[in-house]
Amino acid sequence: MPESRLRRARARVAAVIGASALLGTVAVAVGPVGTAQAAPQSPAAADCSTPYRIEQKLDGGTTWRMCWHYESNAGLVLDKVSYQPKGESAPIKVLTSAKLGQIHVPYDDGSNEYDDLTGQGFAQGLQQLDPAECPGGTIKTVRVPDAWDPEHPNVKGLCATTRARGHAYRMGTGGFGAGEDNKVYQLQGKDLLVYTVNQVGWYEYITEWRFAGDGTMTMQVGATGTLSPMDYDAGDGRGWPIGKGAKDYATSHAHNVFWRLNFGLDGSPKSKVEQYDSKTTATSGRIPKTKTTRTKVTKELAGDAAPARWWRVVSSAGKNKDGHPRSYEIVPGHTTKYQGRSFTKHDVYFTEYNKCEQFASNNLRNCGAGAGKSVDKWVNGQTLKHPIVWVNIGFHHIARDEDQEPMPLHWQGFQLSPRDVTAMNPLTPPALSGHNGHTEEER
């Protein structure tokens, strides 16, 4: 980051933190007993004490449980994520930990390139949340490590609430003729939503983790805030005119967001990874046929998404009530792949667990001679016994007039979709609970 941008960015963040501290003092003074307490001095997710525990029962009977802690570079980390739908006697362990792995921001003109997590104080830019931003939920106090304002390290900056998702399902029964009964089964679902807002320079990143009643997890980052006024240089020949006429050109850039997922399906880190590819063959005069093949991913992989390709992480320790191994499918959202760096040229990485490998680029730890500082360098043929999943979703931001001001959110992310985690839809109404496998209507 150029010194001018760094000074402006840090000055702006410091001002915001100072204001947040004043707001926090008011919140402490008027909050109910217990809410005024700061987070423990040494957050330990393994302890999962009350301030670091999130638990929510959703419509349909599903309960999500997790712990959280906050790191000096990655920011929010979710630990021990488990999912317990109705009918399951115990929680199903899903993720050992989940966090952002990097936000890489290269500019089109080649003048700047940032690693927002490990180089630009992402975690220190945690923002104070107004109660109106967390309707019906709880705002938790976060103690920010290495806070830029060391006298005010505690920020009420983590929201845990629920948010409507619309239809969880809908199914009508009966025929289509007049006078025939048609009962409609439908459920309007809600998700557990956990999020923070972190400011980096002129951007504010909203990092959302959503957990649905059917077991789906949605991870996404939304960028908002404002366009950097220092980037209206009109000098690169690549930007987009902002404002009156064609005087100010906002510099185009990319946001390449990585997530780091450490699965612990059914309590075991020894998950398996599988890749599925479907191929359609057309024969003249016949209906085309499609065949799907499975490839077991036994060694580290830098994977590229394709129109008919997907991956899943499979439990080695548990099965559902039908006897099928539990798994989660990786469902990438829309992405714009950035070709400028080797670590952004692939959509997903599966690497063998190494405590040193924490960030997809500009990894801060010294992992030894020749280890490399980015995720692509860690794919070197190791056998996958404890796979770590890295998901890369890119967004090419070509600014527009509507980005002024404040800038509307643009989202990028992916889902983890349950595949055989339960024997049926965990939200199935009791009247349909017998419809598992082949059924025939009485005649």
Side-chain angles (χ1 to χ4, degrees), residues 77-371:
V77 183
L78 300 183
D79 302 290
K80 299 182 178 179
V81 178
S82 70
Y83 157 59
Q84 186 176 8
K86 66 180 181 181
E88 294 289 338
S89 59
I92 299 168
K93 295 178 180 178
V94 179
L95 291 166
T96 300
S97 68
K99 66 178 182 179
L100 288 179
Q102 190 57 275
I103 301 177
H104 169 249
V105 185
Y107 276 64
D108 284 17
D109 61 2
S111 61
N112 298 304
E113 180 178 21
Y114 310 120
D115 293 297
D116 281 351
L117 266 62
T118 54
Q120 305 303 322
F122 173 89
Q124 287 69 39
L126 182 67
Q127 298 296 287
Q128 175 100 1
L129 295 178
D130 187 275
E133 298 182 84
C134 192
T138 301
I139 299 177
K140 292 179 174 286
T141 298
V142 178
R143 188 173 184 85
V144 178
D146 304 322
W148 284 347
D149 184 358
E151 294 185 2
H152 302 96
N154 297 326
V155 179
K156 295 183 75 65
L158 171 59
C159 171
T161 187
T162 58
R163 183 170 293 177
R165 66 177 296 199
H167 275 93
Y169 62 74
R170 187 188 190 280
M171 188 186 83
T173 63
F176 297 96
E180 294 188 11
D181 292 335
N182 182 30
K183 181 175 177 59
V184 174
Y185 294 94
Q186 70 89 28
L187 177 66
Q188 298 296 307
K190 286 186 178 180
D191 295 345
L192 164 63
L193 170 63
V194 179
Y195 83 91
T196 58
V197 180
N198 294 75
Q199 182 181 322
V200 180
W202 299 94
Y203 273 94
E204 297 189 12
Y205 293 111
I206 301 178
T207 306
E208 285 195 353
W209 306 83
R210 297 182 69 142
F211 303 88
D214 61 7
T216 301
M217 294 174 277
T218 302
M219 290 75 168
Q220 59 181 1
V221 168
T224 183
T226 186
L227 297 172
S228 170
M230 277 79 74
D231 289 334
Y232 293 144
D233 55 20
D236 61 15
R238 296 173 172 84
W240 195 270
I242 300 295
K244 296 183 181 300
K247 177 182 178 182
D248 293 331
Y249 281 71
T251 305
S252 303
H253 52 278
H255 297 261
N256 303 308
V257 181
F258 289 82
W259 288 259
R260 181 184 185 275
L261 307 174
N262 182 1
F263 277 86
L265 283 168
D266 294 300
S268 174
K270 298 180 181 180
S271 301
K272 301 176 183 178
V273 178
E274 296 176 347
Q275 176 177 308
Y276 290 79
D277 291 276
S278 299
K279 182 178 180 180
T280 300
T281 302
T283 303
S284 178
R286 297 184 179 181
I287 298 175
K289 294 182 178 181
T290 300
K291 182 178 181 180
T292 300
T293 58
R294 177 184 67 173
T295 303
K296 295 182 179 180
V297 181
T298 59
K299 295 185 181 298
E300 293 176 317
L301 173 71
D304 295 301
R309 172 177 294 163
W310 53 278
W311 298 272
R312 70 168 182 160
V313 179
V314 188
S315 173
S316 63
K319 298 180 179 180
N320 67 17
K321 292 177 181 178
D322 282 345
H324 302 147
R326 294 190 175 104
S327 71
Y328 264 88
E329 179 181 341
I330 300 167
V331 185
H334 176 74
T335 185
T336 303
K337 194 179 297 187
Y338 180 73
Q339 298 293 338
R341 290 296 183 187
S342 57
F343 55 85
T344 58
K345 288 184 177 181
H346 301 285
D347 301 296
V348 63
Y349 295 85
F350 301 98
T351 62
E352 178 62 8
Y353 173 80
N354 183 332
K355 185 178 181 180
C356 186
E357 297 169 357
Q358 294 292 321
F359 297 97
S361 66
N362 192 22
N363 190 52
L364 296 177
R365 298 184 183 183
N366 181 3
C367 298

